[in-house]
Amino acid sequence: MSGRGGVVNNIFDWYIPPECQSNSSILRLTKGLSWEVATEPIHQDIDYYAVCGIGPGMSFANSILKNDPNIGVIGLVPCAIGSTNISLWSQGSFNYNQMVNRTRIALQGGGTLRALLWYQGESDTLNLEDANLYKSRLEKFFTDARNDLGAPSLPIIQVALATTLGPYMKEIRNAQLGIHLPNVKTVDANGLKVGPDYVHLSTQAEAQLGQMLAQAFLEFGSYTIHNSLEVQTKE
């Protein structure tokens, strides 16, 4: 989710595809908790231990605006941190608390929380115990996040893995595809082009994934409330 599209040998090539160009109607919440016009890479000051590139967020927001130009301003709340397994997003953890706090601050401006985007799991493919516990941990994370944000029916769109770091990708994908909580949709990244590190998606694949996430969001139906906030989280 934080994006490694266009990153080779820890250097971002700064190619921004048309789907990911900035738009005055797409804002992002900075690490300093202020709003600014979103530009790629939108996670660089959040996932600051890594070199960030293109992720799905800008393509997601641009696709929504293209389908509904009257939707108003879209606020992206990037929260993704690379190389983290699901246990590092449990209720009370640093990552979890940062996500909840950033979202609450974003809402102080009068926006409406519309969805949570979740793309995570590669690190959980390394260990069989983590893989076996993944489904229950993910369901608890979704439930806790909804409760702590005061949005028990919050739409959640998760991504099923396209790549793996370990031998238990099948177990993680089965867990992701087996989530049947209300208002949770799953977008399958399997088959999208992978970048040169064989783990993260390529620039064009990230842009395509953003469009897939937008389509899933629009399928929820009542998306025309102005001033939307999308919280973006991932390992």
Side-chain angles (χ1 to χ4, degrees):
M1 183 62 74
S2 70
R4 300 293 185 269
V7 176
V8 180
N9 296 325
N10 288 322
I11 299 174
F12 179 37
D13 63 14
W14 286 102
Y15 169 67
I16 313 296
E19 303 94 327
C20 302
Q21 296 292 326
S22 62
N23 185 306
S24 60
S25 293
I26 303 173
L27 306 180
R28 78 169 194 112
L29 191 71
T30 68
K31 178 145 183 92
L33 305 176
S34 61
W35 290 107
E36 67 177 14
V37 174
T39 59
E40 293 282 17
I42 65 172
H43 272 88
Q44 189 58 72
D45 62 343
I46 304 298
D47 191 12
Y48 50 83
Y49 287 113
V51 176
C52 294
I54 301 298
M58 288 299 296
S59 175
F60 166 81
N62 275 309
S63 184
I64 291 173
L65 286 173
K66 181 178 179 180
N67 280 275
D68 185 0
N70 298 316
I71 195 172
V73 176
I74 296 175
L76 301 176
V77 185
C79 299
I81 305 293
S83 300
T84 52
N85 63 23
I86 188 68
S87 63
L88 294 178
W89 291 90
S90 61
Q91 189 179 42
S93 67
F94 174 83
N95 293 335
Y96 181 91
N97 289 343
Q98 178 174 253
M99 176 195 72
V100 170
N101 291 337
R102 283 175 56 76
T103 305
R104 288 173 175 168
I105 289 170
L107 291 169
Q108 291 176 2
T112 301
L113 182 60
R114 301 308 314 279
L116 185 151
L117 309 182
W118 178 260
Y119 182 6
Q120 184 274 336
E122 288 94 338
S123 293
D124 292 277
T125 67
L126 292 166
N127 180 278
L128 180 58
E129 181 180 5
D130 286 337
N132 288 336
L133 291 172
Y134 189 82
K135 186 171 186 286
S136 62
R137 288 173 172 173
L138 185 59
E139 289 176 334
K140 186 176 188 306
F141 168 78
F142 288 160
T143 301
D144 289 341
R146 283 170 161 171
N147 290 338
D148 287 337
L149 292 171
S153 299
L154 177 67
I156 296 173
I157 308 167
Q158 66 157 341
V159 180
L161 292 187
T163 59
T164 186
L165 290 171
Y168 302 111
M169 179 178 177
K170 179 179 178 181
E171 286 81 357
I172 299 299
R173 279 181 52 82
N174 286 343
Q176 293 168 331
L177 295 170
I179 297 289
H180 299 298
L181 295 174
N183 279 2
V184 175
K185 289 182 179 291
T186 303
V187 168
D188 196 346
N190 193 35
L192 294 180
K193 185 177 179 180
V194 179
D197 64 0
Y198 300 103
V199 175
H200 298 98
L201 298 181
S202 69
T203 293
Q204 202 53 49
E206 290 279 18
Q208 184 179 347
L209 178 61
Q211 294 172 336
M212 295 163 64
L213 289 165
Q215 182 58 42
F217 173 74
L218 295 172
E219 288 172 359
F220 276 110
S222 56
Y223 58 85
T224 55
I225 297 176
H226 288 233
N227 300 324
S228 302
L229 298 173
E230 277 71 45
V231 181
Q232 304 189 329
T233 61
K234 178 198 181 283
E235 66 168 352

